[in-house]
Amino acid sequence: SVSHSQKLKTTNGLSVEVPRIVSTEITRQIQTITWQKQAREHVSGSRLCVGVSRNPAGPYVTRITLPQQDLMKTINCALRNVVDVSTFCWSSIQVNSNSVSKEHADSNNLGLSAIMILGNFTKGGELILKTEPETVYEKKNEFFFFDGTTRHLSNPYEGGNRYSIVVFYHKDTMRLTDR
């Protein structure tokens, strides 16, 4: 982990601490959000995806409420304050509430993804990357950079709420039109 006072070039496996006051504010804002059930069969819990997404008609930019907009501003600001944005681009933010994911690989991501795990859960909830050797990431309140196209999963958790924020560049971003 590195100090939040440095802006870092992102690399696979880098973790960057977010100031406690910022992660506390993000958690508070997450708790004000209206949630949708996960649409992906390999993930339980609820979700909110903001930014570039895709449906059968093609890529689009999601519409959001004012509380969701405030949350996205806080997440974007937190990320911009700790990383060199010339080394990490993002178009989409996926926020998950009380979710556990089965093993999968993200197919819509280009480049590195960043994940931050938050919440008051007391046990479990680690991100497992199916690398050689296997990578286990368990820290809360940090952005962890990884290749989302690598097979990964999250462990079940106990005792409270678990939130995760996944920031990534959607492969269809450049296909957006003015429609």
Side-chain angles (χ1 to χ4, degrees):
S1 173
V2 294
S3 167
H4 67 273
S5 62
Q6 303 167 299
K7 286 199 176 187
L8 299 168
K9 294 184 183 211
T10 55
T11 58
N12 198 23
L14 172 73
S15 66
V16 183
E17 183 179 358
V18 173
R20 174 62 84 185
I21 193 167
V22 175
S23 61
T24 299
E25 177 59 16
I26 290 171
T27 302
R28 185 195 69 71
Q29 290 178 352
I30 285 173
Q31 292 167 341
T32 69
I33 299 300
T34 302
W35 296 95
Q36 299 174 346
K37 184 167 175 26
Q38 287 281 359
R40 299 174 300 166
E41 63 185 46
H42 60 272
V43 182
S44 65
S46 301
R47 66 159 177 93
L48 167 67
C49 187
V50 173
V52 179
S53 194
R54 182 181 56 188
N55 62 24
Y60 66 96
V61 176
T62 58
R63 295 179 187 262
I64 59 176
T65 66
L66 285 176
Q68 293 167 345
Q69 185 178 35
D70 290 342
L71 173 61
M72 294 306 118
K73 286 179 182 177
T74 304
I75 293 169
N76 282 319
C77 185
L79 195 52
R80 281 193 313 268
N81 283 334
V82 296
V83 300
D84 178 352
V85 295
S86 71
T87 65
F88 183 71
C89 296
W90 65 97
S91 65
S92 306
I93 300 175
Q94 172 85 26
V95 182
N96 302 297
S97 174
N98 296 323
S99 67
V100 175
S101 68
K102 297 176 186 173
E103 187 174 325
H104 69 284
D106 298 326
S107 60
N108 291 316
N109 301 23
L110 287 179
L112 293 178
S113 298
I115 187 169
M116 181 166 42
I117 300 170
L118 303 156
N120 62 355
F121 65 99
T122 57
K123 184 178 178 184
E126 303 90 353
L127 170 68
I128 309 295
L129 300 176
K130 294 300 193 168
T131 55
E132 282 297 324
E134 188 172 85
T135 301
V136 178
Y137 182 73
E138 59 188 340
K139 294 181 180 175
K140 294 180 186 177
N141 308 315
E142 294 187 359
F143 282 111
F144 176 70
F145 295 86
F146 70 104
D147 179 355
T149 64
T150 299
R151 296 199 65 76
H152 58 282
L153 62 115
S154 59
N155 277 338
Y157 65 94
E158 298 175 10
N161 294 306
R162 179 184 182 275
Y163 307 110
S164 63
I165 299 166
V166 182
V167 183
F168 63 98
Y169 189 84
H170 196 287
K171 70 180 183 182
D172 288 336
T173 300
M174 300 308 288
R175 291 184 49 222
L176 288 172
T177 63
D178 292 334
R179 60 180 162 110

